[in-house]
Amino acid sequence: AHVRTAAVGGRRRIAWRMAPPTHRRLATAALLALGGEVSKTAGELLGAAILPHGDFAFDPSLLSGRSTDAALKGAEALRQGSLAAGEFVASLGADVIVLTTPHGIAADRQIAVYGNSEFEGPALVGRDVNASFGDGAMGPGCKVAFQAKGRPDLARRLAVEFNAARANGEATVLSSWGDDLPMPLRWGEVLPMRYVAPSGRLEGSRLLVLSLPTARHTESGKLKDKMRELGKVLGTMIKNDKLKYALVVSTDLSHRHWQNTTFGAHPLAKSFDKGCGQYAATLDWEVLNNQSTFVDDVYSCGWLGLPMLHGALEASGSKWEGRLLVLPVAPTYYGMMVSTIHPQASTLLETVVV
């Protein structure tokens, strides 16, 4: 894979091969400098990313000796794209990163806003190997550490805003152990955030976690409009705040590309993933609207984060460009993709899988 920038408004075009992390970080910073308008164009919402939380994107070597060369190549592209997207988010210098997750501590029908002052992993990597190739294929797996600080005041404020907007008890604040110990994070939060903070500790930015309700399993299609509305509430709060924000949607795509140890394949899995890629590239609401009729059949865990992201972008008052860094690919039974969202007229980052 290689990375290039697509110039907007006549700006110059730059291309380079995937470099070591330090070089990529410097290159990303240079690109933002060339754009020169990120904070001014986007107000207090600086940018966003859609990142996978699947094991195989985080560690493609898990597929070695178990899958095809094509699957391994796809997983490696996902990892490189995720690292690039994570560097983009980190380079924004946001005061707060808002993360939507489908695999956190969840309420039945409410958004659960994590309210502790500190968060801590680990994520257990290897469960996807067992689910893909049979129980026990991976053994005990391995743990991936992560630490971040939260903003309890913002968690409470956002929950109040969510509930006031719909007067329906749409959100609740979760806190654990009297805030004396870190609130636990697992793979839905740790793995995407490790792309943003490869050291395992989020420095500078605070983390605001929004855990999707368990109703997502069977009612994502019905909930999409509500999530879009709540996203607008989030975007309005960001717009009226003095802090700088970035948004990260943690999601994998259809989990029914082929039969795993729990459920079978679905004929619409591939077309669903293609639609997710189309949305990431165009930010066209109608794509999500059309997907709502069958999203619950193809099992996309974090899809509801996309309508929430869409609403936040709408409420920001800015115009946005989506860039699909890695096309949807399914190394095993579930699909993944990587994308970034930038203010229009900034320098845009694009990854092309070859």
Side-chain angles (χ1 to χ4, degrees):
H2 69 276
V3 176
R4 72 177 181 219
T5 62
V8 174
R11 289 191 176 90
R12 51 183 163 165
R13 182 180 297 270
I14 300 175
W16 74 96
R17 288 280 174 184
M18 271 298 193
T22 301
H23 294 176
R24 293 200 306 269
R25 191 177 300 111
L26 292 172
T28 302
L31 292 178
L32 293 171
L34 283 174
E37 302 173 16
V38 172
S39 60
K40 292 181 180 180
T41 304
E44 298 301 323
L45 179 57
L46 304 179
I50 302 170
L51 283 165
H53 51 248
D55 286 3
F56 305 116
F58 190 79
D59 184 1
S61 70
L62 294 172
L63 290 171
S64 297
R66 294 187 173 101
S67 194
T68 64
D69 289 343
L72 183 58
K73 182 179 179 181
E76 289 172 344
L78 286 164
R79 175 156 180 82
Q80 292 302 317
S82 295
L83 288 170
E87 287 186 18
F88 164 71
V89 173
S91 71
L92 294 175
D95 299 305
V96 180
I97 298 175
V98 181
L99 172 71
T100 67
T101 176
H103 296 306
I105 304 170
D108 183 22
R109 308 199 66 81
Q110 295 176 306
I111 294 290
V113 188
Y114 284 16
N116 275 39
S117 300
E118 295 187 358
F119 306 115
E120 190 171 60
L124 179 63
V125 172
R127 295 172 65 250
D128 289 353
V129 177
N130 296 332
S132 298
F133 303 105
D135 291 338
M138 179 61 189
C142 63
K143 294 181 178 180
V144 177
F146 179 73
Q147 294 177 317
K149 293 185 180 297
R151 282 287 301 261
D153 58 327
L154 288 180
R156 292 190 294 269
R157 178 182 165 195
L158 181 57
V160 168
E161 296 283 353
F162 279 163
N163 292 331
R166 294 183 61 92
N168 221 0
E170 300 295 349
T172 187
V173 177
L174 296 183
S175 60
S176 59
W177 305 299
D179 203 17
D180 292 329
L181 296 172
M183 195 167 188
L185 303 178
R186 294 299 183 260
W187 75 97
E189 306 85 54
V190 170
L191 298 188
M193 289 307 300
R194 278 295 297 260
Y195 299 124
V196 180
S199 69
R201 184 173 183 84
L202 184 64
E203 302 286 358
S205 302
R206 299 297 180 95
L207 185 63
L208 184 59
V209 179
L210 308 183
S211 180
L212 300 176
T214 59
R216 68 174 178 81
H217 289 286
T218 56
E219 299 180 46
S220 286
K222 294 179 182 178
L223 291 171
K224 76 172 190 313
D225 291 324
K226 181 172 80 170
M227 290 299 166
R228 182 185 189 183
E229 184 177 341
L230 292 177
K232 291 180 180 179
V233 174
L234 171 62
T236 299
M237 188 187 89
I238 291 173
K239 185 178 178 181
N240 294 332
D241 204 346
K242 295 181 180 180
L243 299 174
K244 298 177 182 180
Y245 288 77
L247 304 183
V248 175
V249 174
S250 170
T251 188
D252 294 333
L253 309 180
S254 172
H255 283 53
R256 300 188 68 179
H257 283 268
W258 44 270
Q259 183 174 349
N260 72 347
T261 58
T262 305
F263 40 79
H266 195 283
L268 295 178
K270 188 172 182 179
S271 61
F272 175 84
D273 284 13
K274 182 178 180 180
C276 289
Q278 183 181 355
Y279 173 76
T282 65
L283 303 179
D284 182 357
W285 172 256
E286 284 307 308
V287 176
L288 298 181
N289 193 44
N290 293 336
Q291 287 185 313
S292 67
T293 60
F294 63 102
V295 60
D296 295 315
D297 298 322
V298 299
Y299 302 171
S300 176
C301 53
W303 181 84
L304 279 178
L306 300 181
M308 180 171 282
L309 167 67
H310 192 91
L313 295 175
E314 288 178 309
S316 72
S318 301
K319 294 183 178 180
W320 299 89
E321 295 273 358
R323 279 298 179 268
L324 187 58
L325 304 191
V326 181
L327 296 169
V329 58
T332 63
Y333 67 93
Y334 63 93
M336 293 175 276
M337 69 176 185
V338 184
S339 76
T340 51
I341 295 95
H342 310 244
Q344 280 190 356
S346 69
T347 303
L348 304 177
L349 182 68
E350 181 181 1
T351 297
V352 181
V353 179
V354 294

